[in-house]
PDB file of all heavy atoms in Angstrom:
ATOM      1  N   SER A  84      40.681 -20.977 -98.168  1.00 98.00           N
ATOM      2  CA  SER A  84      40.596 -22.273 -98.393  1.00 98.00           C
ATOM      3  C   SER A  84      42.024 -22.831 -98.516  1.00 98.00           C
ATOM      4  O   SER A  84      42.925 -22.276 -99.112  1.00 98.00           O
ATOM      5  CB  SER A  84      39.961 -22.594 -99.744  1.00 98.00           C
ATOM      6  OG  SER A  84      38.527 -22.232 -99.675  1.00 98.00           O
ATOM      7  N   PHE A  85      42.258 -23.940 -97.785  1.00 98.00           N
ATOM      8  CA  PHE A  85      43.468 -24.754 -97.931  1.00 98.00           C
ATOM      9  C   PHE A  85      43.323 -26.123 -97.197  1.00 98.00           C
ATOM     10  O   PHE A  85      42.436 -26.240 -96.385  1.00 98.00           O
ATOM     11  CB  PHE A  85      44.722 -24.007 -97.427  1.00 98.00           C
ATOM     12  CG  PHE A  85      44.730 -23.779 -95.916  1.00 98.00           C
ATOM     13  CD1 PHE A  85      45.152 -24.549 -94.997  1.00 98.00           C
ATOM     14  CD2 PHE A  85      44.119 -22.575 -95.395  1.00 98.00           C
ATOM     15  CE1 PHE A  85      45.182 -24.371 -93.624  1.00 98.00           C
ATOM     16  CE2 PHE A  85      44.152 -22.181 -94.134  1.00 98.00           C
ATOM     17  CZ  PHE A  85      44.655 -23.136 -93.270  1.00 98.00           C
ATOM     18  N   ASP A  86      44.226 -27.080 -97.620  1.00 97.00           N
ATOM     19  CA  ASP A  86      44.150 -28.311 -96.962  1.00 97.00           C
ATOM     20  C   ASP A  86      45.501 -28.616 -96.228  1.00 97.00           C
ATOM     21  O   ASP A  86      46.547 -28.194 -96.635  1.00 97.00           O
ATOM     22  CB  ASP A  86      43.885 -29.540 -97.936  1.00 97.00           C
ATOM     23  CG  ASP A  86      42.602 -29.479 -98.608  1.00 97.00           C
ATOM     24  OD1 ASP A  86      41.614 -28.974 -97.947  1.00 97.00           O
ATOM     25  OD2 ASP A  86      42.383 -29.966 -99.698  1.00 97.00           O
ATOM     26  N   VAL A  87      45.335 -29.357 -95.102  1.00 98.00           N
ATOM     27  CA  VAL A  87      46.544 -29.702 -94.321  1.00 98.00           C
ATOM     28  C   VAL A  87      46.669 -31.181 -94.302  1.00 98.00           C
ATOM     29  O   VAL A  87      45.833 -31.894 -93.586  1.00 98.00           O
ATOM     30  CB  VAL A  87      46.522 -29.179 -92.954  1.00 98.00           C
ATOM     31  CG1 VAL A  87      47.863 -29.606 -92.061  1.00 98.00           C
ATOM     32  CG2 VAL A  87      46.502 -27.581 -92.774  1.00 98.00           C
ATOM     33  N   PRO A  88      47.680 -32.005 -94.988  1.00 97.00           N
ATOM     34  CA  PRO A  88      47.691 -33.394 -95.020  1.00 97.00           C
ATOM     35  C   PRO A  88      48.270 -33.812 -93.685  1.00 97.00           C
ATOM     36  O   PRO A  88      48.823 -33.074 -92.850  1.00 97.00           O
ATOM     37  CB  PRO A  88      48.812 -33.509 -96.057  1.00 97.00           C
ATOM     38  CG  PRO A  88      48.843 -32.417 -96.860  1.00 97.00           C
ATOM     39  CD  PRO A  88      48.452 -31.257 -95.952  1.00 97.00           C
ATOM     40  N   ARG A  89      48.031 -35.120 -93.352  1.00 96.00           N
ATOM     41  CA  ARG A  89      48.463 -35.627 -92.032  1.00 96.00           C
ATOM     42  C   ARG A  89      50.010 -35.711 -91.972  1.00 96.00           C
ATOM     43  O   ARG A  89      50.632 -35.808 -93.023  1.00 96.00           O
ATOM     44  CB  ARG A  89      47.991 -37.134 -91.931  1.00 96.00           C
ATOM     45  CG  ARG A  89      46.381 -37.317 -91.785  1.00 96.00           C
ATOM     46  CD  ARG A  89      46.118 -38.651 -91.563  1.00 96.00           C
ATOM     47  NE  ARG A  89      44.660 -38.887 -91.462  1.00 96.00           N
ATOM     48  CZ  ARG A  89      43.985 -38.875 -90.345  1.00 96.00           C
ATOM     49  NH1 ARG A  89      44.682 -38.710 -89.297  1.00 96.00           N
ATOM     50  NH2 ARG A  89      42.711 -39.063 -90.353  1.00 96.00           N
ATOM     51  N   GLY A  90      50.548 -35.565 -90.745  1.00 96.00           N
ATOM     52  CA  GLY A  90      51.952 -35.812 -90.539  1.00 96.00           C
ATOM     53  C   GLY A  90      52.909 -34.732 -91.074  1.00 96.00           C
ATOM     54  O   GLY A  90      54.096 -35.009 -91.221  1.00 96.00           O
ATOM     55  N   ILE A  91      52.340 -33.476 -91.311  1.00 97.00           N
ATOM     56  CA  ILE A  91      53.263 -32.406 -91.742  1.00 97.00           C
ATOM     57  C   ILE A  91      53.249 -31.196 -90.817  1.00 97.00           C
ATOM     58  O   ILE A  91      52.349 -31.131 -89.970  1.00 97.00           O
ATOM     59  CB  ILE A  91      52.967 -31.871 -93.140  1.00 97.00           C
ATOM     60  CG1 ILE A  91      51.711 -31.117 -93.120  1.00 97.00           C
ATOM     61  CG2 ILE A  91      52.807 -33.069 -94.185  1.00 97.00           C
ATOM     62  CD1 ILE A  91      51.443 -30.196 -94.415  1.00 97.00           C
ATOM     63  N   VAL A  92      54.233 -30.368 -90.909  1.00 98.00           N
ATOM     64  CA  VAL A  92      54.266 -29.016 -90.231  1.00 98.00           C
ATOM     65  C   VAL A  92      53.714 -28.079 -91.325  1.00 98.00           C
ATOM     66  O   VAL A  92      54.477 -27.909 -92.420  1.00 98.00           O
ATOM     67  CB  VAL A  92      55.435 -28.617 -89.729  1.00 98.00           C
ATOM     68  CG1 VAL A  92      55.438 -27.144 -89.094  1.00 98.00           C
ATOM     69  CG2 VAL A  92      55.914 -29.618 -88.562  1.00 98.00           C
ATOM     70  N   CYS A  93      52.613 -27.381 -91.177  1.00 98.00           N
ATOM     71  CA  CYS A  93      52.047 -26.374 -92.107  1.00 98.00           C
ATOM     72  C   CYS A  93      52.263 -24.925 -91.440  1.00 98.00           C
ATOM     73  O   CYS A  93      51.684 -24.815 -90.411  1.00 98.00           O
ATOM     74  CB  CYS A  93      50.721 -26.654 -92.492  1.00 98.00           C
ATOM     75  SG  CYS A  93      50.013 -25.477 -93.606  1.00 98.00           S
ATOM     76  N   GLY A  94      53.018 -24.169 -92.100  1.00 97.00           N
ATOM     77  CA  GLY A  94      53.176 -22.724 -91.518  1.00 97.00           C
ATOM     78  C   GLY A  94      52.058 -21.812 -92.042  1.00 97.00           C
ATOM     79  O   GLY A  94      51.633 -22.033 -93.153  1.00 97.00           O
ATOM     80  N   LEU A  95      51.639 -21.078 -91.159  1.00 97.00           N
ATOM     81  CA  LEU A  95      50.563 -20.048 -91.594  1.00 97.00           C
ATOM     82  C   LEU A  95      51.123 -18.686 -91.304  1.00 97.00           C
ATOM     83  O   LEU A  95      51.274 -18.291 -90.092  1.00 97.00           O
ATOM     84  CB  LEU A  95      49.282 -20.250 -90.760  1.00 97.00           C
ATOM     85  CG  LEU A  95      47.903 -19.402 -91.015  1.00 97.00           C
ATOM     86  CD1 LEU A  95      47.679 -19.717 -92.479  1.00 97.00           C
ATOM     87  CD2 LEU A  95      47.012 -19.804 -90.083  1.00 97.00           C
ATOM     88  N   ILE A  96      51.400 -17.871 -92.300  1.00 96.00           N
ATOM     89  CA  ILE A  96      52.228 -16.624 -92.109  1.00 96.00           C
ATOM     90  C   ILE A  96      51.307 -15.515 -92.669  1.00 96.00           C
ATOM     91  O   ILE A  96      50.362 -15.687 -93.376  1.00 96.00           O
ATOM     92  CB  ILE A  96      53.502 -16.802 -92.798  1.00 96.00           C
ATOM     93  CG1 ILE A  96      53.382 -16.794 -94.237  1.00 96.00           C
ATOM     94  CG2 ILE A  96      54.278 -17.859 -92.205  1.00 96.00           C
ATOM     95  CD1 ILE A  96      54.765 -16.620 -95.069  1.00 96.00           C
ATOM     96  N   GLY A  97      51.733 -14.339 -92.339  1.00 94.00           N
ATOM     97  CA  GLY A  97      51.173 -13.076 -92.753  1.00 94.00           C
ATOM     98  C   GLY A  97      51.468 -11.920 -91.859  1.00 94.00           C
ATOM     99  O   GLY A  97      51.832 -12.145 -90.710  1.00 94.00           O
ATOM    100  N   PRO A  98      51.460 -10.714 -92.373  1.00 93.00           N
ATOM    101  CA  PRO A  98      51.785  -9.600 -91.468  1.00 93.00           C
ATOM    102  C   PRO A  98      50.678  -9.490 -90.306  1.00 93.00           C
ATOM    103  O   PRO A  98      49.619 -10.146 -90.370  1.00 93.00           O
ATOM    104  CB  PRO A  98      51.584  -8.386 -92.426  1.00 93.00           C
ATOM    105  CG  PRO A  98      51.694  -8.910 -93.746  1.00 93.00           C
ATOM    106  CD  PRO A  98      51.106 -10.331 -93.654  1.00 93.00           C
ATOM    107  N   ASN A  99      50.892  -8.573 -89.347  1.00 90.00           N
ATOM    108  CA  ASN A  99      49.884  -8.382 -88.339  1.00 90.00           C
ATOM    109  C   ASN A  99      48.584  -7.987 -88.969  1.00 90.00           C
ATOM    110  O   ASN A  99      48.548  -7.151 -89.908  1.00 90.00           O
ATOM    111  CB  ASN A  99      50.347  -7.162 -87.347  1.00 90.00           C
ATOM    112  CG  ASN A  99      51.547  -7.754 -86.477  1.00 90.00           C
ATOM    113  OD1 ASN A  99      51.520  -8.972 -86.030  1.00 90.00           O
ATOM    114  ND2 ASN A  99      52.307  -6.772 -85.974  1.00 90.00           N
ATOM    115  N   GLY A 100      47.484  -8.569 -88.508  1.00 90.00           N
ATOM    116  CA  GLY A 100      46.147  -8.209 -89.019  1.00 90.00           C
ATOM    117  C   GLY A 100      45.815  -9.014 -90.234  1.00 90.00           C
ATOM    118  O   GLY A 100      44.741  -8.743 -90.936  1.00 90.00           O
ATOM    119  N   ALA A 101      46.611  -9.999 -90.623  1.00 93.00           N
ATOM    120  CA  ALA A 101      46.326 -10.711 -91.796  1.00 93.00           C
ATOM    121  C   ALA A 101      45.216 -11.810 -91.634  1.00 93.00           C
ATOM    122  O   ALA A 101      44.679 -12.278 -92.547  1.00 93.00           O
ATOM    123  CB  ALA A 101      47.676 -11.572 -92.233  1.00 93.00           C
ATOM    124  N   GLY A 102      44.873 -12.144 -90.351  1.00 95.00           N
ATOM    125  CA  GLY A 102      43.757 -13.073 -90.209  1.00 95.00           C
ATOM    126  C   GLY A 102      44.243 -14.426 -89.565  1.00 95.00           C
ATOM    127  O   GLY A 102      43.390 -15.360 -89.426  1.00 95.00           O
ATOM    128  N   LYS A 103      45.481 -14.543 -89.216  1.00 95.00           N
ATOM    129  CA  LYS A 103      45.912 -15.811 -88.753  1.00 95.00           C
ATOM    130  C   LYS A 103      45.434 -16.238 -87.471  1.00 95.00           C
ATOM    131  O   LYS A 103      44.924 -17.350 -87.320  1.00 95.00           O
ATOM    132  CB  LYS A 103      47.533 -15.755 -88.547  1.00 95.00           C
ATOM    133  CG  LYS A 103      48.287 -15.296 -89.813  1.00 95.00           C
ATOM    134  CD  LYS A 103      49.678 -15.281 -89.528  1.00 95.00           C
ATOM    135  CE  LYS A 103      50.153 -14.249 -88.426  1.00 95.00           C
ATOM    136  NZ  LYS A 103      49.890 -12.791 -88.673  1.00 95.00           N
ATOM    137  N   THR A 104      45.464 -15.443 -86.431  1.00 93.00           N
ATOM    138  CA  THR A 104      44.666 -15.698 -85.170  1.00 93.00           C
ATOM    139  C   THR A 104      43.166 -15.913 -85.278  1.00 93.00           C
ATOM    140  O   THR A 104      42.592 -16.767 -84.633  1.00 93.00           O
ATOM    141  CB  THR A 104      44.988 -14.717 -84.080  1.00 93.00           C
ATOM    142  OG1 THR A 104      46.451 -14.650 -83.961  1.00 93.00           O
ATOM    143  CG2 THR A 104      44.445 -14.933 -82.708  1.00 93.00           C
ATOM    144  N   THR A 105      42.676 -15.090 -86.012  1.00 96.00           N
ATOM    145  CA  THR A 105      41.178 -15.272 -86.372  1.00 96.00           C
ATOM    146  C   THR A 105      40.886 -16.568 -86.870  1.00 96.00           C
ATOM    147  O   THR A 105      39.904 -17.266 -86.450  1.00 96.00           O
ATOM    148  CB  THR A 105      40.706 -14.234 -87.399  1.00 96.00           C
ATOM    149  OG1 THR A 105      40.863 -12.970 -86.844  1.00 96.00           O
ATOM    150  CG2 THR A 105      39.233 -14.451 -87.754  1.00 96.00           C
ATOM    151  N   LEU A 106      41.684 -17.205 -87.912  1.00 96.00           N
ATOM    152  CA  LEU A 106      41.573 -18.480 -88.386  1.00 96.00           C
ATOM    153  C   LEU A 106      41.717 -19.509 -87.278  1.00 96.00           C
ATOM    154  O   LEU A 106      40.849 -20.526 -87.099  1.00 96.00           O
ATOM    155  CB  LEU A 106      42.499 -18.818 -89.498  1.00 96.00           C
ATOM    156  CG  LEU A 106      42.357 -20.129 -90.122  1.00 96.00           C
ATOM    157  CD1 LEU A 106      40.913 -20.381 -90.607  1.00 96.00           C
ATOM    158  CD2 LEU A 106      43.342 -20.255 -91.231  1.00 96.00           C
ATOM    159  N   PHE A 107      42.742 -19.368 -86.423  1.00 95.00           N
ATOM    160  CA  PHE A 107      42.923 -20.257 -85.349  1.00 95.00           C
ATOM    161  C   PHE A 107      41.666 -20.306 -84.321  1.00 95.00           C
ATOM    162  O   PHE A 107      41.357 -21.329 -83.814  1.00 95.00           O
ATOM    163  CB  PHE A 107      44.203 -19.807 -84.546  1.00 95.00           C
ATOM    164  CG  PHE A 107      45.414 -20.715 -84.854  1.00 95.00           C
ATOM    165  CD1 PHE A 107      45.623 -21.169 -86.015  1.00 95.00           C
ATOM    166  CD2 PHE A 107      46.407 -20.884 -83.857  1.00 95.00           C
ATOM    167  CE1 PHE A 107      46.781 -21.875 -86.387  1.00 95.00           C
ATOM    168  CE2 PHE A 107      47.440 -21.595 -84.111  1.00 95.00           C
ATOM    169  CZ  PHE A 107      47.688 -22.180 -85.421  1.00 95.00           C
ATOM    170  N   ASN A 108      41.213 -19.143 -84.074  1.00 94.00           N
ATOM    171  CA  ASN A 108      40.000 -19.090 -83.201  1.00 94.00           C
ATOM    172  C   ASN A 108      38.750 -19.802 -83.880  1.00 94.00           C
ATOM    173  O   ASN A 108      37.894 -20.271 -83.220  1.00 94.00           O
ATOM    174  CB  ASN A 108      39.727 -17.698 -82.835  1.00 94.00           C
ATOM    175  CG  ASN A 108      40.602 -17.008 -81.891  1.00 94.00           C
ATOM    176  OD1 ASN A 108      41.289 -17.763 -81.173  1.00 94.00           O
ATOM    177  ND2 ASN A 108      40.763 -15.701 -81.857  1.00 94.00           N
ATOM    178  N   CYS A 109      38.666 -19.825 -85.169  1.00 96.00           N
ATOM    179  CA  CYS A 109      37.657 -20.591 -85.926  1.00 96.00           C
ATOM    180  C   CYS A 109      37.880 -22.027 -85.725  1.00 96.00           C
ATOM    181  O   CYS A 109      36.976 -22.751 -85.403  1.00 96.00           O
ATOM    182  CB  CYS A 109      37.582 -20.146 -87.324  1.00 96.00           C
ATOM    183  SG  CYS A 109      36.961 -18.453 -87.675  1.00 96.00           S
ATOM    184  N   LEU A 110      39.179 -22.525 -85.837  1.00 96.00           N
ATOM    185  CA  LEU A 110      39.426 -23.861 -85.687  1.00 96.00           C
ATOM    186  C   LEU A 110      39.193 -24.347 -84.282  1.00 96.00           C
ATOM    187  O   LEU A 110      38.828 -25.508 -84.002  1.00 96.00           O
ATOM    188  CB  LEU A 110      41.006 -24.113 -86.068  1.00 96.00           C
ATOM    189  CG  LEU A 110      41.306 -23.834 -87.462  1.00 96.00           C
ATOM    190  CD1 LEU A 110      42.894 -24.033 -87.661  1.00 96.00           C
ATOM    191  CD2 LEU A 110      40.549 -24.746 -88.489  1.00 96.00           C
ATOM    192  N   SER A 111      39.400 -23.509 -83.263  1.00 92.00           N
ATOM    193  CA  SER A 111      39.115 -23.709 -81.835  1.00 92.00           C
ATOM    194  C   SER A 111      37.640 -23.641 -81.412  1.00 92.00           C
ATOM    195  O   SER A 111      37.428 -23.795 -80.313  1.00 92.00           O
ATOM    196  CB  SER A 111      40.061 -22.881 -80.957  1.00 92.00           C
ATOM    197  OG  SER A 111      41.411 -23.009 -81.301  1.00 92.00           O
ATOM    198  N   ARG A 112      36.885 -23.090 -82.416  1.00 92.00           N
ATOM    199  CA  ARG A 112      35.445 -22.849 -82.224  1.00 92.00           C
ATOM    200  C   ARG A 112      35.175 -21.678 -81.232  1.00 92.00           C
ATOM    201  O   ARG A 112      34.102 -21.555 -80.658  1.00 92.00           O
ATOM    202  CB  ARG A 112      34.750 -24.129 -81.739  1.00 92.00           C
ATOM    203  CG  ARG A 112      34.742 -25.348 -82.621  1.00 92.00           C
ATOM    204  CD  ARG A 112      33.874 -25.114 -83.821  1.00 92.00           C
ATOM    205  NE  ARG A 112      32.502 -25.139 -83.527  1.00 92.00           N
ATOM    206  CZ  ARG A 112      31.705 -24.145 -83.569  1.00 92.00           C
ATOM    207  NH1 ARG A 112      32.066 -22.937 -83.912  1.00 92.00           N
ATOM    208  NH2 ARG A 112      30.418 -24.312 -83.251  1.00 92.00           N
ATOM    209  N   LEU A 113      36.157 -20.828 -81.162  1.00 91.00           N
ATOM    210  CA  LEU A 113      35.879 -19.708 -80.339  1.00 91.00           C
ATOM    211  C   LEU A 113      35.323 -18.548 -81.178  1.00 91.00           C
ATOM    212  O   LEU A 113      34.521 -17.686 -80.595  1.00 91.00           O
ATOM    213  CB  LEU A 113      37.309 -18.953 -79.852  1.00 91.00           C
ATOM    214  CG  LEU A 113      38.182 -19.930 -78.938  1.00 91.00           C
ATOM    215  CD1 LEU A 113      39.506 -19.328 -78.564  1.00 91.00           C
ATOM    216  CD2 LEU A 113      37.477 -20.328 -77.673  1.00 91.00           C
ATOM    217  N   TYR A 114      35.486 -18.645 -82.648  1.00 94.00           N
ATOM    218  CA  TYR A 114      34.736 -17.747 -83.445  1.00 94.00           C
ATOM    219  C   TYR A 114      33.873 -18.581 -84.321  1.00 94.00           C
ATOM    220  O   TYR A 114      34.152 -19.690 -84.655  1.00 94.00           O
ATOM    221  CB  TYR A 114      35.619 -16.978 -84.242  1.00 94.00           C
ATOM    222  CG  TYR A 114      36.554 -15.855 -83.649  1.00 94.00           C
ATOM    223  CD1 TYR A 114      37.588 -15.143 -84.287  1.00 94.00           C
ATOM    224  CD2 TYR A 114      36.132 -15.435 -82.362  1.00 94.00           C
ATOM    225  CE1 TYR A 114      38.315 -14.215 -83.713  1.00 94.00           C
ATOM    226  CE2 TYR A 114      36.880 -14.413 -81.747  1.00 94.00           C
ATOM    227  CZ  TYR A 114      37.943 -13.838 -82.452  1.00 94.00           C
ATOM    228  OH  TYR A 114      38.622 -12.849 -81.743  1.00 94.00           O
ATOM    229  N   GLU A 115      32.751 -18.002 -84.744  1.00 93.00           N
ATOM    230  CA  GLU A 115      31.806 -18.671 -85.752  1.00 93.00           C
ATOM    231  C   GLU A 115      31.934 -18.094 -87.046  1.00 93.00           C
ATOM    232  O   GLU A 115      31.611 -16.814 -87.216  1.00 93.00           O
ATOM    233  CB  GLU A 115      30.298 -18.518 -85.195  1.00 93.00           C
ATOM    234  CG  GLU A 115      29.394 -19.410 -85.999  1.00 93.00           C
ATOM    235  CD  GLU A 115      29.455 -20.845 -85.612  1.00 93.00           C
ATOM    236  OE1 GLU A 115      29.852 -21.211 -84.466  1.00 93.00           O
ATOM    237  OE2 GLU A 115      29.152 -21.683 -86.541  1.00 93.00           O
ATOM    238  N   PRO A 116      32.389 -18.756 -88.019  1.00 96.00           N
ATOM    239  CA  PRO A 116      32.592 -18.223 -89.393  1.00 96.00           C
ATOM    240  C   PRO A 116      31.162 -17.734 -89.963  1.00 96.00           C
ATOM    241  O   PRO A 116      30.259 -18.350 -89.598  1.00 96.00           O
ATOM    242  CB  PRO A 116      33.205 -19.271 -90.225  1.00 96.00           C
ATOM    243  CG  PRO A 116      33.782 -20.282 -89.273  1.00 96.00           C
ATOM    244  CD  PRO A 116      32.999 -20.105 -87.996  1.00 96.00           C
ATOM    245  N   ALA A 117      31.157 -16.713 -90.722  1.00 95.00           N
ATOM    246  CA  ALA A 117      29.958 -16.270 -91.362  1.00 95.00           C
ATOM    247  C   ALA A 117      29.697 -17.027 -92.606  1.00 95.00           C
ATOM    248  O   ALA A 117      28.601 -17.061 -93.087  1.00 95.00           O
ATOM    249  CB  ALA A 117      30.041 -14.797 -91.679  1.00 95.00           C
ATOM    250  N   ALA A 118      30.809 -17.585 -93.185  1.00 97.00           N
ATOM    251  CA  ALA A 118      30.675 -18.351 -94.368  1.00 97.00           C
ATOM    252  C   ALA A 118      31.799 -19.503 -94.384  1.00 97.00           C
ATOM    253  O   ALA A 118      32.713 -19.412 -93.629  1.00 97.00           O
ATOM    254  CB  ALA A 118      30.809 -17.526 -95.644  1.00 97.00           C
ATOM    255  N   GLY A 119      31.525 -20.553 -95.109  1.00 97.00           N
ATOM    256  CA  GLY A 119      32.523 -21.626 -95.285  1.00 97.00           C
ATOM    257  C   GLY A 119      32.242 -22.762 -94.315  1.00 97.00           C
ATOM    258  O   GLY A 119      31.354 -22.930 -93.628  1.00 97.00           O
ATOM    259  N   GLU A 120      33.310 -23.704 -94.538  1.00 97.00           N
ATOM    260  CA  GLU A 120      33.220 -24.968 -93.694  1.00 97.00           C
ATOM    261  C   GLU A 120      34.630 -25.388 -93.319  1.00 97.00           C
ATOM    262  O   GLU A 120      35.605 -25.031 -94.014  1.00 97.00           O
ATOM    263  CB  GLU A 120      32.639 -26.076 -94.748  1.00 97.00           C
ATOM    264  CG  GLU A 120      32.470 -27.431 -93.948  1.00 97.00           C
ATOM    265  CD  GLU A 120      31.440 -27.343 -92.921  1.00 97.00           C
ATOM    266  OE1 GLU A 120      31.862 -26.919 -91.721  1.00 97.00           O
ATOM    267  OE2 GLU A 120      30.281 -27.560 -93.071  1.00 97.00           O
ATOM    268  N   ILE A 121      34.720 -26.027 -92.172  1.00 98.00           N
ATOM    269  CA  ILE A 121      35.939 -26.511 -91.666  1.00 98.00           C
ATOM    270  C   ILE A 121      35.791 -28.028 -91.356  1.00 98.00           C
ATOM    271  O   ILE A 121      34.871 -28.383 -90.482  1.00 98.00           O
ATOM    272  CB  ILE A 121      36.396 -25.831 -90.326  1.00 98.00           C
ATOM    273  CG1 ILE A 121      36.699 -24.358 -90.626  1.00 98.00           C
ATOM    274  CG2 ILE A 121      37.745 -26.445 -89.885  1.00 98.00           C
ATOM    275  CD1 ILE A 121      36.865 -23.453 -89.381  1.00 98.00           C
ATOM    276  N   LEU A 122      36.526 -28.843 -92.091  1.00 97.00           N
ATOM    277  CA  LEU A 122      36.382 -30.321 -91.850  1.00 97.00           C
ATOM    278  C   LEU A 122      37.619 -30.882 -91.197  1.00 97.00           C
ATOM    279  O   LEU A 122      38.797 -30.559 -91.585  1.00 97.00           O
ATOM    280  CB  LEU A 122      36.174 -30.988 -93.260  1.00 97.00           C
ATOM    281  CG  LEU A 122      35.091 -30.536 -94.124  1.00 97.00           C
ATOM    282  CD1 LEU A 122      35.068 -31.219 -95.413  1.00 97.00           C
ATOM    283  CD2 LEU A 122      33.653 -30.721 -93.402  1.00 97.00           C
ATOM    284  N   PHE A 123      37.419 -31.723 -90.278  1.00 97.00           N
ATOM    285  CA  PHE A 123      38.488 -32.364 -89.534  1.00 97.00           C
ATOM    286  C   PHE A 123      38.276 -33.861 -89.655  1.00 97.00           C
ATOM    287  O   PHE A 123      37.154 -34.406 -89.193  1.00 97.00           O
ATOM    288  CB  PHE A 123      38.531 -32.020 -87.987  1.00 97.00           C
ATOM    289  CG  PHE A 123      39.794 -32.680 -87.328  1.00 97.00           C
ATOM    290  CD1 PHE A 123      41.042 -32.225 -87.551  1.00 97.00           C
ATOM    291  CD2 PHE A 123      39.545 -33.688 -86.438  1.00 97.00           C
ATOM    292  CE1 PHE A 123      42.056 -32.672 -86.869  1.00 97.00           C
ATOM    293  CE2 PHE A 123      40.599 -34.236 -85.758  1.00 97.00           C
ATOM    294  CZ  PHE A 123      41.884 -33.808 -85.931  1.00 97.00           C
ATOM    295  N   GLU A 124      39.145 -34.540 -90.363  1.00 96.00           N
ATOM    296  CA  GLU A 124      39.010 -35.983 -90.781  1.00 96.00           C
ATOM    297  C   GLU A 124      37.656 -36.240 -91.459  1.00 96.00           C
ATOM    298  O   GLU A 124      36.946 -37.196 -91.194  1.00 96.00           O
ATOM    299  CB  GLU A 124      39.018 -36.994 -89.457  1.00 96.00           C
ATOM    300  CG  GLU A 124      40.345 -36.886 -88.865  1.00 96.00           C
ATOM    301  CD  GLU A 124      40.543 -37.930 -87.805  1.00 96.00           C
ATOM    302  OE1 GLU A 124      39.554 -37.958 -86.896  1.00 96.00           O
ATOM    303  OE2 GLU A 124      41.553 -38.690 -87.768  1.00 96.00           O
ATOM    304  N   GLY A 125      37.272 -35.244 -92.326  1.00 95.00           N
ATOM    305  CA  GLY A 125      36.167 -35.392 -93.133  1.00 95.00           C
ATOM    306  C   GLY A 125      34.879 -34.891 -92.424  1.00 95.00           C
ATOM    307  O   GLY A 125      33.718 -34.976 -93.115  1.00 95.00           O
TER     308      GLY A 125
END
């Protein structure tokens, strides 16, 4: 869970295998999360 405010650069970091690209693929709708919610402009 985290929020990204408008107009900023938010870095997403972690070692290889941390889940960064998996999260990007959820945001792009390439992956379907098993749990949780993703809101864009509410």
Side-chain angles (χ1 to χ4, degrees):
S84 297
F85 62 90
D86 291 335
V87 180
R89 290 181 183 273
I91 75 161
V92 177
C93 180
L95 184 62
I96 67 170
N99 286 330
K103 306 180 300 296
T104 298
T105 297
L106 181 58
F107 259 32
N108 286 339
C109 291
L110 296 175
S111 304
R112 297 291 286 112
L113 299 178
Y114 290 169
E115 189 76 27
E120 184 62 276
I121 300 173
L122 303 177
F123 184 75
E124 296 188 312

